[in-house]
């Protein structure tokens, strides 16, 4: 991957890690931005990692563009020479697939869909070669997902599944965007899954909903007392299919202030992951469910 640097006016540096979307590109972007943050460079005001790029906003009165560019390039070289590892966490996200709320919504917008006679899940299963919706749901929830960026709307995570390239699910967005999407919908567009943090317009396919708030400006949810946004780039997400009764039970726990998502701190190694993706994923998930 050849890195391309460019200036954005006199207070931004844009860094394109790769022209191709891949876990390696995401990881490189994330590891460099983490190192920039840890370096505490004079003048840096904001660091924004993305899927295969990142941007650094800085104060040119404190640090010149040339000096900032050189400092970031030095950090990239140091990262390339070291081990591709980060400290992060794996998070369980329960999902009520084929729920009534996203189903009602998707049926209202069939005229904007590639398959007006089906559902989003049946369409996604068919074009990816799965013989049933249940088999597709299993493929979507079996392997974990790497949060590559958070944004578009507040708290919304974009996630890339941690599987071999030939196993990647690919589903196009709606032909025309919807004007409505239920809050906490688990969506899919291209090769990315996401969770809609708020109700609003959207174009991703809708597969289900999670009962776990991921954005709470009032910080009423017990797991969002420290910060109003739940996800951060580098998080590893494991979807867990749940029933309708389980969904309502978690909603009640959230409202009671007793719900805490299952999480586990892990050290992620890109090289070890690439040697044996299925085995590495299984080990992380075993760690998540250890007592």
């Amino acid at each position: 991957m050849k890195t391309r640097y460019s200036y954005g006016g006199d207070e931004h540096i844009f860094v394109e890690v790769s022209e191709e979307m891949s876990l390696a590109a995401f990881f490189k972007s994330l590891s460099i931005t983490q190192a920039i943050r840890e370096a505490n460079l004079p003048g840096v005001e904001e660091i924004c990692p993305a899927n295969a790029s990142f941007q650094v906003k800085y104060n040119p009165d404190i640090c010149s563009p040339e000096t900032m560019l050189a400092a970031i390039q030095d950090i990239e070289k140091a990262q390339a020479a070291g081990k591709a590892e980060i400290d992060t966490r794996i998070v369980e996200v329960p999902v009520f697939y084929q729920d009534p709320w996203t189903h009602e919504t998707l049926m209202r917008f069939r005229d904007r869909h590639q398959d007006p006679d089906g559902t989003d899940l049946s369409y996604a299963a068919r074009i990816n070669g799965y013989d049933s919706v249940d088999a597709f749901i299993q493929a979507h929830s079996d392997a974990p997902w790497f949060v590559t960026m958070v944004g578009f709307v507040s708290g919304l995570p974009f996630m890339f599944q941690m599987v071999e390239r030939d196993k990647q699910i690919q589903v196009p967005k709606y032909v025309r965007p919807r004007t409505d999407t239920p809050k906490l919908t688990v969506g899919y567009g291209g090769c990315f899954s996401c969770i809609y943090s708020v109700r609003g317009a959207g174009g991703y396919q809708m597969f289900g909903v999670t009962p776990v708030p991921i954005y709470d400006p009032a910080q009423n949810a017990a797991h969002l007392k420290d910060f109003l946004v739940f996800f951060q780039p580098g998080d590893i997400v494991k979807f867990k299919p749940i029933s309708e009764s389980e969904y309502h039970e978690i909603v009640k726990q959230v409202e009671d202030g007793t719900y805490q998502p299952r999480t586990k701190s892990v050290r992620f190694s890109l090289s070890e992951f690439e040697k044996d993706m299925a085995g590495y994923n299984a080990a992380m998930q075993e760690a998540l469910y250890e007592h």
Side-chain angles (χ1 to χ4, degrees):
M1 293 182 289
K2 183 174 176 58
T3 307
R4 183 173 66 87
Y5 289 81
S6 58
Y7 292 111
D10 61 356
E11 57 181 23
H12 293 88
I13 291 177
F14 175 73
V15 184
E16 185 180 49
V17 171
S18 174
E19 293 183 354
E20 184 180 59
M21 298 289 186
S22 69
L23 186 60
F26 306 148
F27 192 86
K28 183 176 179 179
S29 171
L30 180 66
S31 60
I32 295 175
T33 52
Q34 283 192 348
I36 293 171
R37 188 171 290 108
E38 292 168 0
N40 197 26
L41 299 175
V44 170
E45 296 181 345
E46 190 172 2
I47 305 167
C48 301
N51 293 323
S53 62
F54 63 89
Q55 186 164 282
V56 177
K57 183 178 185 296
Y58 60 95
N59 186 337
D61 293 331
I62 296 175
C63 182
S64 71
E66 295 80 11
T67 301
M68 182 60 65
L69 177 63
I72 296 173
Q73 289 175 327
D74 287 343
I75 288 174
E76 182 196 359
K77 291 175 185 176
Q79 286 293 300
K83 291 184 178 180
E85 297 180 351
I86 60 167
D87 290 314
T88 185
R89 61 179 179 168
I90 181 167
V91 182
E92 180 187 82
V93 176
V95 180
F96 179 18
Y97 290 93
Q98 302 188 87
D99 67 283
W101 308 286
T102 59
H103 181 78
E104 185 277 330
T105 303
L106 67 86
M107 294 308 293
R108 278 193 281 128
F109 293 97
R110 294 327 284 168
D111 63 323
R112 306 185 183 209
H113 197 274
Q114 294 89 343
D115 182 9
D117 297 323
T119 67
D120 292 9
L121 272 168
S122 65
Y123 171 69
R126 176 169 54 80
I127 66 171
N128 281 280
Y130 292 94
D131 58 9
S132 69
V133 166
D134 287 343
F136 179 82
I137 290 173
Q138 182 176 351
H140 184 265
S141 59
D142 264 4
W145 298 76
F146 197 84
V147 176
T148 59
M149 61 180 289
V150 178
F152 182 68
V153 295
S154 298
L156 184 151
F158 288 89
M159 296 169 281
F160 188 83
Q161 196 169 30
M162 300 165 66
V163 294
E164 295 84 353
R165 184 175 291 273
D166 62 354
K167 294 181 180 178
Q168 286 287 342
I169 296 169
Q170 300 282 341
V171 189
K173 294 187 290 185
Y174 274 43
V175 175
R176 290 184 295 125
R178 300 177 304 276
T179 57
D180 190 21
T181 307
K183 180 181 179 180
L184 297 177
T185 290
V186 175
Y188 209 99
C191 61
F192 290 100
S193 200
C194 81
I195 301 173
Y196 284 79
S197 53
V198 297
R199 182 179 183 180
Y204 276 25
Q205 309 285 335
M206 295 183 289
F207 295 164
V209 293
T210 177
V212 182
I214 61 171
Y215 170 64
D216 181 10
Q219 295 182 267
N220 290 322
H223 63 288
L224 295 174
K225 294 296 185 184
D226 294 332
F227 193 56
L228 69 167
V229 171
F230 183 52
F231 290 111
Q232 54 189 317
D235 280 346
I236 296 169
V237 172
K238 176 62 176 68
F239 291 127
K240 178 187 178 183
I242 59 173
S243 65
E244 184 169 3
S245 62
E246 291 173 308
Y247 171 88
H248 289 297
E249 175 57 31
I250 294 175
V251 168
K252 183 177 182 299
Q253 292 175 22
V254 170
E255 292 172 347
D256 291 344
T258 59
Y259 183 79
Q260 287 289 346
R262 184 187 294 270
T263 64
K264 181 77 172 182
S265 296
V266 295
R267 184 159 183 84
F268 178 79
S269 167
L270 181 63
S271 59
E272 293 301 312
F273 169 74
E274 290 178 332
K275 288 177 185 176
D276 178 12
M277 294 187 185
Y280 198 92
N281 286 340
M284 283 196 298
Q285 292 176 58
E286 286 177 11
L288 177 63
Y289 296 110
E290 285 177 353
H291 292 291

